[in-house]
Amino acid sequence: LNKLLDTNLLDESNPIHLESKVGGIIAIYGMLRLNELLKITVALITKALDSSAPTSPFDVDYPWPTKTRKTGLCFSIPAKYRATFQLYLSQLKEGIKQDSRFLKNMNIASKKRSQNLGEHKVSKFPKLWAQLLGYKDPTFIKGLTSHSFRRTAATLLADQGFDMINLKRMGCLASDKCV
């Protein structure tokens, strides 16, 4: 799964769906829910990129309470995705406000490149990812939701040997049924 994701996510020659690539990376590594993903700002990502060395992971300090945490959280995104994030930031409209939503419309033909992406568009990211990864089964694709990123994150952590307790801690999961 890691290899399949990296093949498509690290392909900078294909800027199509760049917003879904960076949104999905944030959602997976932060194990964020849809409403939490929508709170990420340009300043938050810019600060994370600027405060770390180019070859090291960049830490995103998520300051808002989540559904199951009263305080924010901090998560790391691997350095291999740095170029993808920098490409995305470079394509945002000049003069964009730092406190505005990070996920923007990146439609090449659109003149309104600074338009915020809404909940419904962002919730379709997993379906776009499935198409980018070459899945063709319509039943499988139809069943994907924004929560699929949290399941993918849990699967990747389990594949790396994380036990049940640590999976629950990292994902802020309340019960064993969720894992």
Side-chain angles (χ1 to χ4, degrees):
L1 183 61
N2 254 336
K3 186 187 254 185
L4 190 60
L5 288 173
D6 285 349
T7 303
N8 290 282
L9 293 178
L10 297 173
D11 181 11
E12 295 171 31
S13 63
N14 184 4
I16 296 174
H17 302 302
L18 192 56
E19 71 279 3
S20 75
K21 290 178 182 181
V22 296
I25 292 167
I26 293 170
I28 288 172
Y29 284 96
M31 291 187 90
L32 300 178
R33 294 168 179 87
L34 177 62
N35 63 331
E36 297 162 355
L37 179 60
L38 291 174
K39 290 181 183 176
I40 299 286
T41 63
V42 172
L44 205 63
I45 299 301
T46 304
K47 180 181 173 189
L49 288 168
D50 291 346
S51 64
S52 63
T55 56
S56 57
F58 52 101
D59 295 332
V60 178
D61 185 20
Y62 186 87
W64 302 281
T66 65
K67 180 179 177 183
T68 53
R69 280 183 202 230
K70 294 189 189 308
T71 61
L73 60 115
C74 184
F75 56 92
S76 292
I77 296 178
K80 63 186 174 184
Y81 298 120
R82 180 180 292 276
T84 304
F85 277 79
Q86 288 172 329
L87 176 64
Y88 177 79
L89 284 171
S90 72
Q91 291 186 6
L92 287 176
K93 190 175 179 181
E94 290 292 319
I96 195 163
K97 294 177 182 174
Q98 289 294 303
D99 62 344
S100 67
R101 189 179 289 173
F102 179 66
L103 294 173
K104 302 285 183 186
N105 180 12
M106 294 301 285
N107 182 344
I108 304 291
S110 175
K111 292 181 181 176
K112 294 185 177 184
R113 295 186 87 155
S114 62
Q115 179 182 12
N116 288 338
L117 288 179
E119 182 178 323
H120 297 291
K121 176 73 174 176
V122 174
S123 69
K124 293 179 184 174
F125 283 0
K127 291 175 176 65
L128 290 171
W129 274 42
Q131 292 168 351
L132 288 171
L133 294 172
Y135 289 98
K136 300 196 184 328
D137 180 6
T139 307
F140 171 76
I141 292 173
K142 187 177 181 181
L144 295 174
T145 66
S146 59
H147 202 75
S148 300
F149 287 130
R150 285 178 56 82
R151 288 192 298 270
T152 300
T155 301
L156 292 171
L157 290 171
D159 288 350
Q160 293 175 6
F162 280 76
D163 61 6
M164 183 83 75
I165 292 171
N166 285 317
L167 279 173
K168 286 171 60 177
R169 277 188 195 140
M170 293 189 75
C172 298
L173 304 168
S175 72
D176 290 348
K177 289 179 183 179
C178 296
V179 183

